[in-house]
Amino acid sequence: MKINTHYTGLSPRYLFHDIDLRVKEYLTHHPDEHLLRMGVGDVTRPLPRVIVDTMQAAAEELAHADTFRGYCPENGYEWLQQTIIDHYYQPRGINFQTDEIFIGEGAGSDLGNLSELFDSDNTVAIPDPTYPAYVDANRMAGREIVLMPCLKENNFVPELPKEKVDIIYLCFPNNPTGAVLTHDQLRLWVNYARKNHSIIIFDAAYEAYISSPDIPHSIYEIEGAKEVSIEVHSFSKSAGFTSVRCGYTVVPYETGLQGMWMRRQCTKYNGTSYISQRAAQATYTPEGRTAVEANVAYYMETAQMIREGLQQVGLQVFGGVNAPYIWCATPHGMGSWEFFDLLLNRCKTICTPGVGFGHNGEGYVRFSAFSRREDVQIALKRIRTEISL
Ligand code: PLP
């Protein structure tokens, strides 16, 4: 056999693995230390009661012959597809048929798997820094990648590529920078894609965190976007489903790719758990909505505390207003890992080094508003006393 040699071009380990190694090393020398975790993008609030009750009821159905269910439809139950259309897209004046909405186990796998629809001879434009999965999935497929710098100077919004690119990944609100796009900025991308016959893969995993009215939640709010965009959603960060697993991907007929994605999913995916799909549906009930919004509001209060706490010591911060991530410039020109080590050793606080998200993340670290409030409060106090600028 011959292995896929493109794997040799990947960085050997995943970012969070490297962080774990440093933390383990620290703990072997300081075994009794309680570390404050402000880095990881996993949620910490418990699931709302209404969602757990719904999952319990769905599990109970499986215990009875008359309500038992076997394999779910590969692309999801129609009642969930229709609920998403009715509650998410129609209020925004956007219409879809149910078979344009593909229910899956979360955004991560779809974002990687979508790359299978395209020939390896495509140029892919990916923001830098970025959620690492876009780069890795396309490196695995051997595609040429054009990295688009997201810098303080461009407010962490990439400029349109000068050359023609075929596939464009956009993630707004952004992980890790917390940057967002206005309607006008997103329109430029849609127009670019229409002009160049490109496709945009729009990662909307954090759209629930938008509170400013001029920021689009969905790329389909932009005229003409259906022809050139696939949109990926997740219940992970909005409703706390990182372990439950559920998300959805919208592949409009107008892209010409709906049939291909349907074919791919029917062959390689055997459907999302019935219990998870019922749980996702429950997030759209009045009770579910209220509970999810309360969790989002809680995390955004934490984001504000982090922003203000870091600003008080004179650190320069970005994001954290329409996104749960705070992107913090390291002081005195320190490298990302250098500042990571300083925070670990002096403040017993774990952040995420920005360079782990790409070359242009060097000189930044990411703080996550998903961190436990108690940890954030103690960490900010320590940062105030230990870090002098
Ligand atoms: N997209 C972005 C930008 C993310 O940050 C994450 C997870 O951190 C995902 C997608 C994956 O989400 P899911 O849990 O739905 O796989």
Side-chain angles (χ1 to χ4, degrees):
M1 64 89 182
K2 294 187 183 108
I3 59 153
N4 177 350
T5 51
H6 299 307
Y7 274 64
T8 56
L10 302 175
S11 65
R13 288 191 303 254
Y14 199 64
L15 166 65
F16 290 101
H17 183 72
D18 284 342
I19 295 173
D20 280 350
L21 288 182
R22 287 210 187 200
V23 169
K24 268 197 196 121
E25 164 76 15
Y26 179 87
L27 287 174
T28 51
H29 300 290
H30 310 85
D32 299 324
E33 198 68 74
H34 171 66
L35 295 177
L36 306 166
R37 294 176 187 273
M38 286 183 69
V40 182
D42 197 357
V43 291
T44 49
R45 304 272 296 158
L47 285 174
R49 173 51 49 196
V50 57
I51 292 172
V52 175
D53 287 348
T54 303
M55 289 198 290
Q56 282 175 343
E60 188 59 34
E61 283 179 49
L62 303 182
H64 304 276
D66 53 344
T67 48
F68 171 77
R69 290 165 195 255
Y71 286 120
C72 302
E74 288 93 343
N75 300 322
Y77 280 105
E78 204 169 343
W79 40 257
L80 180 54
Q81 295 164 318
Q82 194 61 55
T83 301
I84 291 166
I85 293 169
D86 292 347
H87 290 265
Y88 188 78
Y89 286 108
Q90 277 183 355
R92 298 187 159 82
I94 304 161
N95 290 309
F96 284 114
Q97 302 294 312
T98 49
D99 56 9
E100 293 171 284
I101 312 283
F102 294 80
I103 310 298
E105 53 160 31
S109 39
D110 279 3
L111 285 161
N113 294 335
L114 279 164
S115 118
E116 284 181 28
L117 299 188
F118 309 105
D119 194 275
S120 54
D121 185 23
N122 275 297
T123 304
V124 189
I126 301 179
D128 177 4
T130 189
Y131 175 60
Y134 318 141
V135 172
D136 285 353
N138 283 287
R139 287 228 171 98
M140 287 170 186
R143 285 197 192 92
E144 188 192 337
I145 297 174
V146 175
L147 291 172
M148 304 186 284
C150 299
L151 313 166
K152 192 166 73 173
E153 291 71 26
N154 57 20
N155 292 319
F156 306 101
V157 172
E159 273 145 36
L160 293 174
K162 307 251 177 311
E163 62 278 71
K164 178 188 170 343
V165 297
D166 306 302
I167 304 168
I168 300 160
Y169 283 79
L170 293 179
C171 170
F172 290 100
N174 187 261
N175 175 15
T177 65
V180 285
L181 287 187
T182 61
H183 284 89
D184 287 345
Q185 287 172 312
L186 189 52
R187 189 171 300 111
L188 293 176
W189 286 95
V190 169
N191 290 343
Y192 172 95
R194 294 177 77 186
K195 190 167 143 220
N196 290 285
H197 306 287
S198 322
I199 186 96
I200 298 173
I201 298 178
F202 190 76
D203 184 349
Y206 295 97
E207 65 74 31
Y209 290 86
I210 296 171
S211 56
S212 306
D214 54 334
I215 308 297
H217 287 243
S218 164
I219 194 166
Y220 304 118
E221 291 175 46
I222 309 297
E223 204 188 324
K226 277 190 179 185
E227 290 162 36
V228 290
S229 320
I230 292 174
E231 181 163 279
V232 181
H233 281 258
S234 170
F235 292 95
S236 287
K237 308 303 167 85
S238 57
F241 277 34
T242 51
S243 67
V244 174
R245 307 305 300 150
C246 196
Y248 64 93
T249 291
V250 185
V251 187
Y253 295 129
E254 288 88 332
T255 57
L257 297 167
Q258 187 273 351
M260 272 178 82
W261 183 242
M262 170 99 77
R263 186 74 184 80
R264 189 264 170 213
Q265 292 296 84
C266 290
T267 302
K268 295 196 181 180
Y269 187 61
N270 263 352
T272 308
S273 144
Y274 173 65
I275 297 169
S276 299
Q277 291 193 62
R278 281 292 184 209
Q281 190 187 31
T283 67
Y284 295 98
T285 60
E287 213 183 334
R289 233 189 169 117
T290 306
V292 165
E293 282 169 10
N295 270 352
V296 168
Y298 183 92
Y299 288 132
M300 288 313 291
E301 262 175 40
T302 310
Q304 195 182 343
M305 285 173 54
I306 299 172
R307 271 179 66 86
E308 290 173 0
L310 296 173
Q311 278 168 337
Q312 269 169 24
V313 293
L315 288 160
Q316 198 179 17
V317 296
F318 306 90
V321 176
N322 288 293
Y325 296 119
I326 292 91
W327 191 235
C328 173
T330 58
H332 310 304
M334 280 176 141
S336 296
W337 279 109
E338 200 185 342
F339 192 49
F340 171 93
D341 284 336
L342 182 88
L343 287 175
L344 178 61
N345 288 300
R346 297 252 293 270
C347 308
K348 325 297 174 210
T349 295
I350 306 170
C351 63
T352 311
V355 71
F357 298 99
H359 170 76
N360 286 303
E362 182 54 286
Y364 292 89
V365 296
R366 187 192 76 174
F367 290 94
S368 166
F370 295 128
S371 312
R372 287 176 206 284
R373 184 70 67 80
E374 314 79 75
D375 278 11
V376 169
Q377 282 161 336
I378 303 169
L380 291 175
K381 221 179 265 173
R382 285 191 190 156
I383 291 172
R384 260 198 305 277
T385 48
E386 293 290 330
I387 309 282
S388 58
L389 300 181

